[in-house]
Amino acid sequence: MDLATLLFWIFAVIMVGAALLVVGLRDIVHSALALVVVFAMAAGVYVLLDAEFIAIVQILIYVGAVTILVLFALMLTRIEGQRHTNPTNKLWPVAAVICVAIGAVIVYAFSESKHAVSTTIAASDVVKQLPNNVVRIGQLLYSPTNYSYVLPFEIASLVLLVAIVGAIVIGRED
Amino acid sequence: MHLTLEHVLVLGAVLFCIGLYGAITKRNAIAVLMSIEIMLNAVNITMVGFSYFDTVKLYSQHLTGQIFAIFIITVAAAEAAVALAMVIAIYRKRATVDVGEIDMMKW
Amino acid sequence: MLYQLSWTILFAPLLAFAVIIFGTRVWDLRSRPKVALPAAEHGHGEHHTDDHDTHAVTDEHGHGGHSEQDEDDDPHVPQLSAGAKASAYAALVIMALACIYSWVLLFSTVLHPADLAAAGKEVFAYNWLSVGGLNYIVGFHLDRLGIAMMVVVTTITFLVQFYSQGYMENSAGYARFYAYLSLFAFSMLVIVFAENFLVIFCGWELVGLSSYLLIGFWINKRAKPEEQRPSPASANLQAFIMNRIGDVGFILGIMILFVNTGSFDFIAVQHGVVHMDKTLLGIAMILVFCGAMGKSAQFPLHTWLPSAMEGPTPVSALIHAATMVAAGVYMIARTSPLFATAAPFAWEVVASIGAFTAFFAATIALVQSDFKRVLAFSTISQLGYMFVGLGVAGPEYGVGPGMFHLFTHAFFKALLFLGAGSVLHGLHHAMHKEVQDVRLMGGLASKMPITAATWLIAVLAISGFPGFSGFYSKEEIIGLALEQGHPVIYALTLATAGLTAFYMLRAFILAFGGKGGKFMGLWGGPYRGYGEVKESPLYMTIPLMLLVIPSVLAGYWTGFYQYVNVSAENVANLSIPALFQATDTWIGVIVSLVGLGFAWFLYGRVDLVKINQVVQSNAALRTIHRILFNRYYVDDLYNWIVKYVVLGLAALAQAFDRYIVDGIVNGVASGVTGTGSGIRRLETGRVQSYMIGFFGGVAVLAVVFVVLITTVWK
């Protein structure tokens, strides 16, 4: 077992545990903190998978922005005198069965797939010789002439603009 | 034992199912949103995993999976902003964030 | 070229119709004074002026010499506008040109028969629709039979239009009337020119529509139950529906022919039916004849024709002489090669129904007191003759005798009706109300000499008095019935000839003569109405005088049989010397003379009141009179059938519809509603229960998929 695999396992176990805490804790603020752990571990996994840029973005946006947003929302929607701020409804047994079934089928599908990827070897050596990950993604996102994602990128910026306006319109007090 | 695609995919699947469970069962609207964030992250991990273990990458140098992940993060951020604004608006109107009580969309 | 351009005759009346409807009539309506709403203070609340003219309303009464008691239901204008007059002139000029053209065609084909092939010539064809191998062609063709008919149609229409200038004076619907007359002529010409069954059927329905519009021209007029007269609005409906009944047969007949020959074209069908089963063809032709029965008012579909008398009298003249009822006879003549090919019973049915109708209608006409209704029944009777003529002629004579009677009858029947119109017009001006009852006439000959003289000539013509046109056409038919071995038909037609002579002279004497008149009551006598009756204006008397010419002379066209012959073989022509030498001709003449003499003797010398007293005092005579007067109760029978059978079935159907059909539909609906209100409880409005549904479905599908790929698809 090499170092990468070991780290992956550590990250994965912490991540799944934190995710379970997110859905399991009774206090929603604790859940939100567990969510931070999930996001951070995901960033670690991205680093292992040679996606440094995404790992950084993950930290910035999820751990930084989204978590703060969630915490602000929690603060603004606090209900006085409520002890269990993160309750569960009566559907949980059904939901559990459904989730286990879906998860099992997904895992089964991996193992039975004709494109079974067990033999796939990480091409990390090759990747190392390429321009680094951030440069590559920048080229893909911004190159006006080559094969690139300029148009979707611009559209994404538009989506963000609309989301900003929408959030302000919806959230403001009239 | 090397790190393989299966590892990543199973991690993504497990996270997705946990997020799904939370989205279905949590009564607090913000908890539902957090669960959805977990699901989105699970998908991102899967995407990046596919990108990393892409056998064609040698020739095409495509980082399509990572690009996807970037867009998902973008949209997820937008979604989080709008959804939380909605939760706050609903809270102002009805003084609750319980999803079970928000049932205007029937009949 | 002369023949090729003959389609202009067909479209000329349509042009006139369009010009009037879109041009001059609009001008007419625009020029009328604008009054807010129809005047309700006139006592007749539902009176409007012209039918659709909501923006131009005129005073209905108190104009043009009509007093306030005037019961006329035809709204009037004080003065015809320039637009109205222009409408009449447009229709007249166009119809005059068409008339001249058709006479040119007639003389041209008579003088140079070789110019136009016997089979005719296609003058207009438009491929309307091609489906599979079938072409539905709007085609018109010209042949001699068509030319003969065309001459009748255009001439009579022109004269009727000319005459209407007097008869319809100051009518608010003047322009509309001319538009309808033009449309009527166009419709009939479509039938005349038709090249195939589809086109003839279109013309057939167009004629129905035009007659509907014209019979109901006086839409405001009400029914007069005391005179057994329906309102025009119901009379035109009756005409329309009666014709539909016949048309069902017509369509079925066309369908049978089409299925068996694969074509609508007359000539193609004619070639195709040779291989058809003779009995089936006979049935098809009888079905086609059903259409003719409706249009030509043969028993049992005759009741609409007397009701159609509610239309303006010029319309009656047009319907009875040229356009409507002639269509049936013409159509049978047009399809006569098919009848000839069919089993013999087809012609026998035609002849038998014709003979029966002739006799049946003649007996009814004996006692009618309504002036126009006598003429209506005489038309039905004469149409019966035409069908007898077509039915019994056989290959030696072809369609000649039947068509010949149509030809001559058109002129003298137009004369009779226009003369009757002249009488009614005069009485209307004298009594300020619509009078059609002969009991209010009498002695009019000295007051309206031109009308009376022309009418007398027409009476002699229709009675078959030797030398007049009716004699040649009718005696020939009666003679043929005997010659071709139909003794019953011969007896019926012969008796009808006597009855015809009797009731026509009776009508004449009741209107124009009476006890105390000159020539043993024939000319002049006591007038039973009131008011000052004057001769009609020249507009009306000129057509009468013109119609006298063909009423007398049309019978001398001895080449007619061969002229209108549509079969391949030559046919015998009318031979006047042979006709005069035949014994049965003289028997017919004697019967007619007896009828004439009896009528003259009875009504010229005995007062009408006294005759009625005698009839009423004798039980047998009274019963017969009542039966005949009520037209054998056929109308009442139809009313009874409609009231109890048709409406009963309708009530049954309605009940079925309401309780069973609606029950099923409503049951389904309430079932759906119930299920829906049950199911809607599943719609909690909570997003998480929807997620359960969605992801539960995904899970089930995923599990099913896995099970399938592991077991079945492996």
Side-chain angles (χ1 to χ4, degrees):
Chain A
M1 185 180 281
D2 56 9
L3 182 63
T5 316
L6 182 68
L7 284 174
F8 178 84
W9 274 107
I10 294 168
F11 289 151
V13 169
I14 297 176
M15 200 174 174
V16 170
L20 286 172
L21 289 178
V22 169
V23 299
L25 286 174
R26 291 188 166 179
D27 190 329
I28 188 109
V29 178
H30 296 172
S31 290
L33 294 177
L35 188 65
V36 174
V37 177
V38 173
F39 290 156
M41 291 306 116
V45 172
Y46 293 152
V47 172
L48 286 179
L49 295 176
D50 281 350
E52 297 90 354
F53 179 71
I54 295 181
I56 292 162
V57 167
Q58 172 84 8
I59 300 287
L60 281 175
I61 293 181
Y62 274 112
V63 183
V66 173
T67 313
I68 298 304
L69 203 58
V70 166
L71 287 170
F72 259 98
L74 287 176
M75 188 183 79
L76 289 171
T77 61
R78 216 161 51 167
I79 293 163
E80 289 299 327
Q82 193 178 17
R83 293 187 68 190
H84 303 306
T85 47
N86 191 13
T88 302
N89 63 19
K90 293 174 196 157
L91 293 169
W92 71 268
V94 186
V97 170
I98 287 172
C99 290
V100 169
I102 289 178
V105 168
I106 292 174
V107 172
Y108 176 79
F110 298 156
S111 56
E112 286 294 307
S113 172
K114 272 188 189 165
H115 307 284
V117 278
S118 318
T119 57
T120 310
I121 304 155
S124 47
D125 297 340
V126 185
V127 171
K128 286 288 188 291
Q129 294 159 11
L130 293 169
N132 75 49
N133 178 264
V134 180
V135 172
R136 181 71 196 127
I137 287 177
Q139 283 171 347
L140 273 176
L141 281 180
Y142 300 123
S143 305
T145 50
N146 292 337
Y147 176 82
S148 74
Y149 293 90
V150 169
L151 191 63
F153 182 79
E154 296 299 332
I155 292 172
S157 65
L158 198 66
V159 169
L160 283 173
L161 177 68
V162 172
I164 291 166
V165 174
I168 291 170
V169 169
I170 293 169
R172 73 172 179 176
E173 289 187 72
D174 358 50
Chain B
M1 183 178 172
H2 289 280
L3 185 59
T4 62
L5 183 57
E6 267 89 349
H7 288 92
V8 183
L9 293 182
V10 169
L11 174 63
V14 170
L15 276 179
F16 184 85
C17 288
I18 293 170
L20 179 60
Y21 173 82
I24 296 178
T25 56
K26 302 319 285 184
R27 286 171 60 184
N28 191 322
I30 294 170
V32 172
L33 284 173
M34 290 180 347
S35 306
I36 290 171
E37 297 296 343
I38 293 174
M39 287 162 78
L40 288 166
N41 265 281
V43 174
N44 273 350
I45 288 171
T46 314
M47 289 288 179
V48 175
F50 276 126
S51 174
Y52 181 71
F53 292 101
D54 184 358
T55 48
V56 235
K57 190 169 66 175
L58 300 176
Y59 312 103
S60 64
Q61 303 183 354
H62 283 172
L63 293 173
T64 315
Q66 295 194 19
I67 299 289
F68 259 85
I70 289 171
F71 283 117
I72 289 172
I73 290 171
T74 314
V75 174
E79 171 252 302
V82 174
L84 289 170
M86 286 168 71
V87 169
I88 289 168
I90 290 169
Y91 176 77
R92 277 206 205 103
K93 279 236 158 62
R94 310 188 62 164
T96 179
V97 286
D98 191 335
V99 183
E101 291 175 30
I102 303 168
D103 58 355
M104 294 93 85
M105 279 180 61
K106 63 177 177 181
W107 308 344
Chain C
M1 202 60 182
L2 178 67
Y3 302 111
Q4 196 62 48
L5 284 177
S6 59
W7 55 270
T8 50
I9 298 177
L10 168 63
F11 288 111
L14 188 63
L15 174 70
F17 175 73
V19 165
I20 295 170
I21 286 291
F22 298 115
T24 54
R25 180 163 181 265
V26 179
W27 180 16
D28 174 30
L29 298 181
R30 289 253 169 92
S31 64
R32 292 195 196 168
K34 284 182 181 156
V35 181
L37 274 171
E41 63 270 23
H42 278 296
H44 308 312
E46 71 272 33
H47 280 203
H48 298 261
T49 46
D50 200 359
D51 50 358
H52 327 290
D53 312 339
T54 48
H55 66 286
V57 176
T58 46
D59 200 352
E60 298 166 19
H61 299 299
H63 289 293
H66 297 270
S67 75
E68 281 302 315
Q69 297 96 47
D70 195 331
E71 286 184 12
D72 182 19
D73 296 276
D74 181 25
H76 279 79
V77 288
Q79 182 96 45
L80 282 180
S81 71
K85 282 187 176 148
S87 306
Y89 295 144
L92 275 168
V93 167
I94 290 174
M95 191 47 74
L97 291 173
C99 181
I100 291 167
Y101 195 171
S102 51
W103 278 99
V104 168
L105 287 176
L106 179 71
F107 282 116
S108 167
T109 45
V110 167
L111 297 175
H112 308 286
D115 284 1
L116 181 67
K121 182 184 180 93
E122 187 175 71
V123 292
F124 182 95
Y126 169 70
N127 194 347
W128 173 52
L129 189 65
S130 293
V131 177
L134 280 173
N135 291 321
Y136 298 93
I137 295 169
V138 180
F140 299 109
H141 88 304
L142 180 76
D143 67 355
R144 295 198 196 121
L145 180 64
I147 291 173
M149 198 67 210
M150 197 186 305
V151 165
V152 171
V153 174
T154 52
T155 309
I156 303 285
T157 309
F158 173 72
L159 291 175
V160 164
Q161 286 182 339
F162 188 83
Y163 173 96
S164 300
Q165 292 182 93
Y167 193 83
M168 301 303 286
E169 56 172 11
N170 299 344
S171 168
Y174 196 74
R176 187 164 59 97
F177 187 73
Y178 274 94
Y180 289 171
L181 285 183
S182 301
L183 182 66
F184 209 165
F186 167 72
S187 317
M188 187 61 197
L189 287 171
V190 169
I191 294 180
V192 170
F193 272 96
E195 175 181 72
N196 55 46
F197 275 110
L198 277 185
V199 176
I200 207 171
F201 192 76
C202 290
W204 201 254
E205 297 305 314
L206 273 172
V207 167
L209 168 70
S210 318
S211 66
Y212 173 85
L213 294 171
L214 279 167
I215 293 167
F217 184 76
W218 286 325
I219 51 161
N220 296 323
K221 215 164 115 180
R222 284 149 301 163
K224 295 179 178 166
E226 70 280 5
E227 294 179 47
Q228 300 194 342
R229 286 175 55 186
S231 69
S234 57
N236 64 0
L237 235 124
Q238 189 187 4
F240 207 70
I241 292 168
M242 275 288 179
N243 275 298
R244 286 299 75 66
I245 295 171
D247 288 350
V248 171
F250 193 16
I251 291 178
L252 287 175
I254 292 175
M255 283 175 181
I256 294 178
L257 291 173
F258 177 73
V259 166
N260 284 282
T261 64
S263 176
F264 289 112
D265 191 79
F266 287 134
I267 294 166
V269 170
Q270 208 170 311
H271 292 309
V273 294
V274 178
H275 312 293
M276 228 174 119
D277 179 43
K278 295 279 177 279
T279 314
L280 180 64
L281 180 58
I283 291 166
M285 294 329 286
I286 287 169
L287 286 170
V288 168
F289 177 60
C290 282
M293 278 162 69
K295 213 47 109 197
S296 294
Q298 294 299 288
F299 180 85
L301 299 178
H302 65 279
T303 57
W304 68 267
L305 195 58
S307 303
M309 292 298 101
E310 297 310 317
T313 310
V315 174
S316 305
L318 202 53
I319 288 179
H320 288 242
T323 47
M324 179 105 172
V325 296
V329 180
Y330 176 80
M331 192 267 286
I332 298 300
R334 177 59 77 198
T335 55
S336 63
L338 309 180
F339 277 96
T341 316
F345 70 82
W347 273 137
E348 279 163 18
V349 167
V350 173
S352 310
I353 288 186
F356 176 73
T357 309
F359 183 74
F360 171 83
T363 53
I364 296 174
L366 290 177
V367 300
Q368 294 301 314
S369 59
D370 185 314
F371 200 44
K372 280 176 78 180
R373 199 165 277 181
V374 174
L375 295 180
F377 281 105
S378 96
T379 303
I380 298 175
S381 178
Q382 298 301 313
L383 288 164
Y385 270 116
M386 294 170 206
F387 284 117
V388 171
L390 291 171
V392 300
E396 306 96 277
Y397 292 94
V399 298
M403 281 303 291
F404 196 37
H405 196 51
L406 172 65
F407 187 72
T408 58
H409 172 260
F411 295 113
F412 57 70
K413 187 46 67 71
L415 176 51
L416 285 170
F417 264 106
L418 295 183
S422 171
V423 169
L424 303 184
H425 186 76
L427 292 177
H428 193 158
H429 275 278
M431 294 192 236
H432 299 304
K433 67 174 187 178
E434 198 191 21
V435 177
Q436 296 193 6
D437 197 324
V438 286
R439 283 170 294 196
L440 285 172
M441 299 178 189
L444 294 176
S446 50
K447 299 173 168 47
M448 319 177 87
I450 302 173
T451 308
T454 52
W455 225 76
L456 183 58
I457 291 167
V459 167
L460 293 176
I462 198 173
S463 308
F465 195 81
F468 292 87
S469 64
F471 167 75
Y472 297 106
S473 54
K474 194 156 76 172
E475 293 303 335
E476 185 69 12
I477 289 172
I478 299 172
L480 270 176
L482 185 65
E483 193 182 308
Q484 302 283 346
H486 299 282
V488 178
I489 291 174
Y490 172 71
L492 280 173
T493 48
L494 188 63
T496 308
L499 295 174
T500 307
F502 176 81
Y503 69 71
M504 286 314 299
L505 194 63
R506 166 185 176 269
F508 178 82
I509 293 174
L510 286 178
F512 296 101
K515 184 186 178 189
K518 279 183 267 185
F519 311 112
M520 290 167 61
L522 191 63
W523 195 266
Y527 171 49
R528 293 184 290 273
Y530 51 88
E532 188 66 28
V533 185
K534 288 195 290 267
E535 180 58 281
S536 298
L538 278 178
Y539 276 140
M540 296 167 69
T541 48
I542 286 174
L544 297 182
M545 291 185 278
L546 286 176
L547 278 168
V548 165
I549 301 166
S551 296
V552 178
L553 296 182
Y556 292 92
W557 183 6
T558 51
F560 190 87
Y561 292 1
Q562 179 58 37
Y563 183 79
V564 298
N565 179 29
V566 287
S567 66
E569 296 89 36
N570 284 347
V571 295
N573 266 325
L574 172 70
S575 162
I576 291 178
L579 188 66
F580 275 106
Q581 280 159 14
T583 324
D584 52 272
T585 306
W586 291 108
I587 296 173
V589 169
I590 287 163
V591 169
S592 295
L593 288 178
V594 166
L596 285 172
F598 189 57
W600 192 358
F601 178 78
L602 188 64
Y603 290 95
R605 296 173 42 143
V606 188
D607 199 45
L608 181 63
V609 184
K610 202 169 175 190
I611 296 171
N612 284 341
Q613 279 169 0
V614 171
V615 170
Q616 293 303 323
S617 61
N618 183 316
L621 278 178
R622 195 172 61 226
T623 313
I624 293 170
H625 181 270
R626 198 191 304 137
I627 291 172
L628 292 180
F629 191 78
N630 288 301
R631 308 182 289 279
Y632 291 103
Y633 296 99
V634 174
D635 299 68
D636 301 277
L637 175 70
Y638 288 169
N639 284 339
W640 187 89
I641 288 173
V642 168
K643 194 171 174 186
Y644 293 102
V645 180
V646 177
L647 292 185
L649 285 173
L652 266 181
Q654 190 199 17
F656 180 81
D657 183 59
R658 175 171 299 165
Y659 296 110
I660 300 189
V661 177
D662 283 6
I664 292 170
V665 172
N666 291 339
V668 168
S670 56
V672 169
T673 311
T675 318
S677 58
I679 287 177
R680 82 172 183 180
R681 294 182 195 290
L682 294 177
E683 293 283 307
T684 55
R686 291 185 196 116
V687 71
Q688 284 169 329
S689 55
Y690 299 160
M691 282 173 84
I692 283 283
F694 175 70
F695 286 103
V698 170
V700 168
L701 282 180
V703 169
V704 167
F705 178 68
V706 165
V707 169
L708 282 178
I709 60 171
T710 49
T711 57
V712 182
W713 295 340
K714 199 111 198 183

